[in-house]
Amino acid sequence: GEGGEVVLTESSKELADQARDFLTRAGFGDRIRIEVGDAIEIGQKLSGESFDVLFNDIDKLDYPRTLEIARAVLPVGGLFITDNMLWYGRVIEPDPEDEDTAGVVKLTKALYEAKDFETTLIPMRDGVTVSTRTAID
């Protein structure tokens, strides 16, 4: 909405510049802030800010670390949306061997156990969870 701002994290300066160009041409250049670097480090620095939505699509092995960032930036009613939560069906493996699958599974378990989020899995494409912040611990 009017006055809203999107903060985009991107590890690649080249892709960040490309995103800035596309968003500026679309008329949103004055409403975006692009942070280049590691998404976890940037997220930790943003912990004093408040966001309505946090969209998570970083390296899957780091997925478990994003829940604490969500807790630091989302108020009650805020949305924590995470892509690739079915991870090509690999999440049903009893003991995933690769770090990426293990990261997705660990976040899934953490969201299931979280008392401060209500989570729904939408089985479109590779799975998307939408978690609503319901309480502040």
Side-chain angles (χ1 to χ4, degrees), residues 67 71 108-119 134:
L67 184 54
R71 286 185 168 119
T108 300
K109 288 178 181 179
L111 286 169
Y112 176 78
E113 295 170 357
K115 305 249 185 277
D116 53 340
F117 284 90
E118 288 290 327
T119 300
T134 58

Side-chain angles (χ1 to χ4, degrees), residues 23 27 41 62-63 66 92 117:
L23 291 166
E41 291 174 11
D62 288 325
Y63 266 27
T66 61
I92 61 171
F117 284 90

Side-chain angles (χ1 to χ4, degrees), residues 23-38:
L23 291 166
T24 298
R25 286 191 284 153
F28 298 108
D30 60 335
R31 297 174 49 195
I32 60 163
R33 184 169 92 212
I34 298 177
E35 301 280 346
V36 178
D38 179 83

